[in-house]
Amino acid sequence: MKSIAIIGAQWGDEGKGKFVHLLSGKADVICRYQGGNNAGHTVVTGGKKYVFHLIPSGILKEDKVCIIGNGVVVNPYALQEELDMLKGAGIDPDSRLFVSDRAHLIMPYHIELDAASEEAAGVGTTRRGVGPAYSFKYARMGIRTCDLTEKDYLDRVVTLALDEVNAILVKRFNRKPVLKSDVMQKIPEYLDILNPCTVNTSKLLNEYIRQGKRIIYEGAQGVLLDVDFGSYPYITSSSPAPGGILTGLGVGPKSVGQVLGIVKAYTTRVGSGPFPTELKNEVGELIRKRGVEFGASTGRPRRCGWFDAVSVRHSLMVSGTDTLAMTKFDVLDNFDMIRVCTQYEIDGKKTSDFPSNAAVLERVVPVYEEFEGWDKSSGIRDYNKLPDAAKDYIRTLEEMLGIEIVMLSTGADEEDTIVRGKLVLD
Ligand code: IMP
């Protein structure tokens, strides 16, 4: 099957956008299957920088079809903003961007709830309303794109939803209630934005698969933020792991030909939650500065630390990752010494397992292996030209993780990429 899933194997922000963009030249269709506009996928091409939150970054290539699947939660205004950004850059997404008729909408009250609970004591969400939108989906109080024209349904569900929302906003958070009239007056605008691109994307995608088209499944966030396999409850509310592809797009398990995991050469995390290799010192600061580690969606400084082979092994296992690409390799240039966490020590015992419980993960003392640093990898596009110490780092990580690193990014530009192996789309 000529299709590939591109997923983050850490806590998000691994640089998936660059590889989706690079590989989209070899694909016909690019799909998002989970998350919402909490994501921030950055592409630097032709000297220009584009940041996507909702639309698959493959949209930059003019002949590609892009799909926002039913598993994505859609804020219509965020979609409109991105459409405007594209049109302003001379890129026409019309007739090649499709949103699922079953995709749930992020309603204004989801954003209010997210903000209120974050202010009280949250997990450091992006405050985009993503978690509440998924909660309401599973509580059978969601509004999908196909529901926008169904007046009775809308009326009943918005009333039900606001009963819940306002009880929480007013009683728990001492905030103003959300008025039904304010919500309902947005519906015509939502329809204007969504109507032109809303279709049954599962039917469309299955037809493309039947025709043998090449598909990219673009993951958002990362497996360590997965609702089932991440550092629960410090997670996002969807399934970035490949399981999300099946439910988030309505395709069968055989439609994923290959899983390409993306990792940074080190680790970052935004928001709260355990982070065993975090560097709360000048080394962490240096990585943040050199790697420009600030959230693409929220601008928040990202927490930085050494590469954590224990958590990545867990990610690779639960997502059946076939092969790996490593980004931001050049950020590690010029360090005298680089560390990689090979095992965890928990309550005095060493383990190679990633704990299921966040409190246990919080108690981890990382066991490190040290590597000699190297001068410069920045901008190098041929593996053989990398310094020996850099090649050692890559080889040892491959051994530790039991997986091949087929691509390496040595700079933000799409050209600053080392390709060492073939992918299913080649
Ligand atoms: P939410 O997805 O906005 O609900 O946030 C839940 C957690 O996921 C928070 O720790 C966020 O910082 C994190 N998160 C959400 N989206 C991203 C992303 O695209 N990159 C990195 N972290 C993310």
Side-chain angles (χ1 to χ4, degrees), residues 299-419:
R300 290 181 291 176
R302 296 179 184 139
R303 300 155 66 193
C304 298
W306 297 122
F307 190 89
D308 179 352
V310 179
S311 62
V312 172
R313 270 196 302 259
H314 162 80
S315 277
L316 303 185
M317 178 191 73
V318 299
S319 51
T321 301
D322 296 297
T323 193
L324 215 53
M326 184 171 275
T327 58
K328 299 236 176 162
F329 197 76
D330 52 304
V331 173
L332 292 187
D333 288 359
N334 282 313
F335 277 102
D336 291 335
M337 182 267 294
I338 290 165
R339 290 175 147 181
V340 171
C341 169
T342 55
Q343 276 194 305
Y344 288 168
E345 190 180 306
I346 303 169
D347 303 332
K349 283 197 189 125
K350 284 194 183 151
T351 176
S352 299
D353 291 340
F354 185 74
S356 311
N357 185 287
V360 179
L361 191 57
E362 205 65 83
R363 294 204 296 276
V364 160
V365 179
V367 178
Y368 285 114
E369 189 169 318
E370 291 186 355
F371 291 81
E372 188 192 324
W374 55 85
D375 289 344
K376 188 176 177 287
S377 71
S378 169
I380 291 181
R381 297 170 186 183
D382 174 354
Y383 181 74
N384 296 316
K385 293 193 175 142
L386 283 176
D388 286 342
K391 284 193 248 178
D392 268 353
Y393 184 72
I394 296 161
R395 258 196 307 268
T396 316
L397 281 187
E398 286 184 323
E399 275 170 27
M400 280 178 191
L401 301 172
I403 197 165
E404 209 184 342
I405 300 173
V406 287
M407 286 190 289
L408 278 165
S409 167
T410 56
D413 198 276
E414 60 180 311
E415 304 285 331
D416 293 332
T417 307
I418 295 172
V419 180

Side-chain angles (χ1 to χ4, degrees), residues 289-306:
K289 199 166 148 224
R290 283 201 200 153
V292 199
E293 294 295 355
F294 296 89
S297 280
T298 58
R300 290 181 291 176
R302 296 179 184 139
R303 300 155 66 193
C304 298
W306 297 122

Side-chain angles (χ1 to χ4, degrees), residues 11-14 16 35-41 114 118 123-132 134 220-222 225 233-238 268-273 295-298 300 302-303:
W11 274 290
D13 308 317
E14 297 88 354
K16 298 175 284 294
N37 61 319
N38 48 352
H41 294 174
D114 203 359
E118 275 304 300
V123 303
T125 74
T126 58
R127 300 185 182 213
R128 302 287 195 264
V130 169
Y134 280 114
Q221 291 84 44
L225 287 171
Y234 301 95
I235 43 95
T236 192
S237 304
S238 65
T268 62
R269 170 162 210 168
V270 212
S272 325
S297 280
T298 58
R300 290 181 291 176
R302 296 179 184 139
R303 300 155 66 193

